[in-house]
């Protein structure tokens, strides 16, 4: 899915702000990057855990009050990219930051007879276009952050962003 240029610029700016804050905080490990992301999002804490998730779910983010946990599946081959994707959802203010969670919890669950209506109420409804856009934005964010954290600081980056 293609994002419009204005929205793409917002995603890139958000990725650059995050990468800059990571650099200023001298954050390099996944845990350190996660902590910086939590601060950027105004959370009291944000932690990373690797756990068993249902097949097909690579990562999810859960926020309760002012604390968050990003869970990355132990069968995920791209932990860093998936972490950046989840951070992207968080920092881009996607309203369904726990969307993956909602999906995973109810995934493959069949409503027991007589409970179809309750089940419907529990199943969040999302506009498929909105979800696709949010997923594309999180992916752009992840790619940008991956690039920025490896990129040499200073002139080259300024040049690249001057063109954006
Ligand atoms: Zn996602």
């Amino acid at each position: 899915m293609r994002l419009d240029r204005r929205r793409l610029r917002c995603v890139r700016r958000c990725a650059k702000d995050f990468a800059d804050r990571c650099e200023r905080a001298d954050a390099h490990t996944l845990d350190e990057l996660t902590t910086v992301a939590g601060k950027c999002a105004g959370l009291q804490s944000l932690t990373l855990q690797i756990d068993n998730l249902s097949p097909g779910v690579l990562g999810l983010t859960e926020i309760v009050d002012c604390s968050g946990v990003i869970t990355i599946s132990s069968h995920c081959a791209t932990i860093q990219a998936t972490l950046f994707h989840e951070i992207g959802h968080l920092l881009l203010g996607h309203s369904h930051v726990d969307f993956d969670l909602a999906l995973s919890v109810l995934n493959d669950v069949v409503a027991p007879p007589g409970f179809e209506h309750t089940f419907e109420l529990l199943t969040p409804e999302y506009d498929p276009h909105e979800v696709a856009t949010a997923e594309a934005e999180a992916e752009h964010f992840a790619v940008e952050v991956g690039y920025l954290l490896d990129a040499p600081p200073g002139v080259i980056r300024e040049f690249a962003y001057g063109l954006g």
Side-chain angles (χ1 to χ4, degrees):
M1 153 179 255
R2 281 182 78 85
L3 297 172
D4 72 71
R5 286 179 64 83
R6 195 183 58 79
R7 195 56 207 159
L8 194 54
R9 244 197 294 273
C10 290
V11 172
R12 295 180 75 194
R13 179 157 301 133
C14 184
K16 186 175 187 304
D17 288 346
F18 173 63
D20 285 347
R21 282 189 70 159
C22 289
E23 230 165 67
R24 281 201 297 277
D26 200 24
H28 300 287
T29 68
L30 296 183
D31 282 332
E32 289 167 349
L33 296 172
T34 305
T35 301
V36 172
K39 286 186 180 141
C40 290
L43 297 172
Q44 275 170 9
S45 71
L46 182 67
T47 52
L48 168 67
Q49 67 177 16
I50 311 290
D51 206 347
N52 270 325
L53 297 175
S54 40
V57 180
L58 295 179
L60 52 86
T61 303
E62 190 177 19
I63 308 285
V64 177
D65 296 327
C66 283
S67 299
V69 178
I70 293 178
T71 306
I72 305 292
S73 165
S74 49
H75 61 256
C76 173
T78 55
I79 290 174
Q80 179 175 296
T82 306
L83 173 64
F84 293 161
H85 176 102
E86 292 300 317
I87 290 174
H89 278 313
L90 186 63
L91 298 188
L92 292 167
H94 293 154
S95 55
H96 44 59
V97 64
D98 54 356
F99 164 70
D100 294 326
L101 176 70
L103 270 188
S104 70
V105 167
L106 293 173
N107 240 2
D108 306 325
V109 177
V110 178
F115 286 90
E116 288 86 357
H117 181 63
T118 310
F119 192 79
E120 237 168 61
L121 292 175
L122 287 172
T123 310
E125 274 188 34
Y126 297 102
D127 171 0
H129 179 73
E130 190 193 330
V131 170
T133 302
E135 290 306 321
E137 288 181 5
E139 275 304 289
H140 273 284
F141 178 92
V143 169
E144 288 285 328
V145 166
Y147 163 72
L148 286 168
L149 291 180
D150 284 333
V155 173
I156 293 173
R157 182 183 307 175
E158 289 308 317
F159 176 68
Y161 276 83
L163 293 175

